[in-house]
Amino acid sequence: MTGETDGPTGGTPRPVYQLRGVNKSYARRNVVALSSVDLTLHQGSFSSVIGSSGCGKSTLLKIMAGLQSPSEGSVMLDGKPVLGPRDDIGMMFQQATLMPWMTTLENIVLPIEIRRGKKAGRAAQGKARELLELVGLKGFEAVYPGELSGGMAQRAAICRMLIGEPKVILLDEPFSALDEITRDFMNMELQRICRQTNATAFLVTHSIAEAVILSDVVHVMSPRPGRFVEAIPIDLPRPRTLEMMNTPEFGAYVHRIRDLLGKGALS
Ligand code: ADP
Ligand code: MG
């Protein structure tokens, strides 16, 4: 796939994350949430999964994060099975969930403090300041979350996700609670941050446009049970711009994905 050779280091990027034959059923409710999911993420790539609400996207992400175990199949990160939550996996959700009684800086180093203690948390403050600068929040170190806008809070959440230098970042509709203008802008910021940190990213979204503008590969997921119906490489140049959303190429990708989602919903 074209996008997989897009890494800033050049050459053939190595696989970082691998899922093989992942199934998940919730026995008590007799729900098969995921069926036969195979997925490989390459170093420095941006992939996404798109599917309608309830098709199993969050279930997939939780399994990838080690927060839930698959009923069948294997999940490997950097050659090691994912058996529970790990330091080298960064996650971000729709809500920033910052601790209201902690400053921005304290919130960002919190994961380090929880894992390695107060001293390690203090030592990570320098890195946290660098990350705040990276996301455009320099000067907001001592501010409390109540004084941050939705977009700023999500920027802080990006810093908190990156502080542990994760090998992969998993994003579950991270900007869907923001207004459309802020969301577009944050998506472009996310692209910039991913390129600057050479992150390997996986995004869950129900916005076709968002998936296309950000991704090297879009995985289209069908509901009941959630399975990948097609992987679509997005051959738009990098860096992507919001103007690209007005091009016929962009429109053709959106059209194709919408078609696939329509078919999946009927099957
Ligand atoms: P999405 O994120 O795509 O909206 P989810 O992964 O949250 O979808 O849910 C997929 C399906 O699995 C849904 O039918 C949902 O009701 C079911 N489900 C999710 N979590 C649980 C759970 N903990 N127990 C039982 N069923 C669940
Ligand atoms: Mg979800």
Side-chain angles (χ1 to χ4, degrees):
M1 282 177 256
T2 331
E4 289 167 356
T5 52
D6 274 1
T9 44
T12 309
R14 66 190 170 84
V16 177
Y17 213 109
Q18 277 178 313
L19 273 76
R20 289 291 169 266
V22 167
N23 294 331
K24 177 73 182 179
S25 30
Y26 293 109
R28 259 185 302 138
R29 288 188 52 220
N30 207 14
V31 171
V32 180
L34 293 175
S35 174
S36 318
V37 172
D38 291 322
L39 175 70
T40 302
L41 304 182
H42 289 87
Q43 172 60 47
S45 68
F46 197 114
S47 315
S48 58
V49 58
I50 179 130
S52 57
S53 180
C55 79
K57 303 181 297 296
S58 292
T59 301
L60 173 65
L61 215 76
K62 283 182 209 152
I63 290 173
M64 291 174 75
L67 300 172
Q68 278 188 2
S69 49
S71 308
E72 279 174 83
S74 72
V75 183
M76 306 280 282
L77 172 56
D78 223 23
K80 288 182 232 110
V82 176
L83 302 170
R86 278 167 53 158
D87 290 2
D88 52 2
I89 299 174
M91 276 200 90
M92 198 170 153
F93 305 93
Q94 195 174 337
Q95 301 298 335
T97 60
L98 301 170
M99 303 297 166
W101 62 88
M102 290 181 164
T103 65
T104 305
L105 196 70
E106 288 164 350
N107 265 291
I108 292 167
V109 299
L110 186 62
I112 303 285
E113 205 177 296
I114 291 170
R115 282 181 212 137
R116 296 185 229 140
K118 279 209 175 306
K119 205 173 149 192
R122 268 195 306 277
Q125 284 190 2
K127 168 88 183 160
R129 287 177 201 280
E130 283 173 24
L131 286 170
L132 280 166
E133 194 164 350
L134 174 74
V135 305
L137 275 188
K138 193 176 159 62
F140 288 85
E141 293 78 1
V143 165
Y144 287 87
E147 296 167 55
L148 300 176
S149 69
M152 289 161 95
Q154 284 302 59
R155 286 172 193 269
I158 293 174
C159 297
R160 186 183 52 191
M161 171 177 75
L162 294 176
I163 190 83
E165 299 182 352
K167 294 200 181 82
V168 64
I169 60 175
L170 306 176
L171 309 147
D172 195 345
E173 306 190 6
F175 306 130
S176 57
L178 304 176
D179 63 83
E180 201 180 331
I181 298 162
T182 311
R183 179 182 180 158
D184 281 348
F185 185 68
M186 286 302 294
N187 277 332
M188 291 300 102
E189 285 289 277
L190 178 64
Q191 168 180 237
R192 177 182 65 79
I193 292 159
C194 285
R195 285 171 73 83
Q196 270 178 258
T197 55
N198 194 25
T200 305
F202 188 66
L203 169 79
V204 159
T205 180
H206 56 242
S207 159
I208 302 176
E210 181 173 86
V212 172
I213 203 66
L214 284 172
S215 306
D216 300 312
V217 187
V218 176
H219 299 269
V220 179
M221 199 167 173
S222 75
R224 290 180 295 274
R227 60 194 162 80
F228 283 2
V229 288
E230 199 158 325
I232 302 182
I234 308 294
D235 282 327
L236 298 171
R238 295 258 184 212
R240 306 272 167 81
T241 61
L242 292 175
E243 288 71 44
M244 284 179 191
M245 292 171 122
N246 302 321
T247 63
E249 292 81 4
F250 182 89
Y253 282 122
V254 170
H255 191 91
R256 183 152 164 228
I257 292 170
R258 190 169 284 137
D259 265 2
L260 284 166
L261 286 168
K263 278 184 203 143
L266 295 172
S267 64

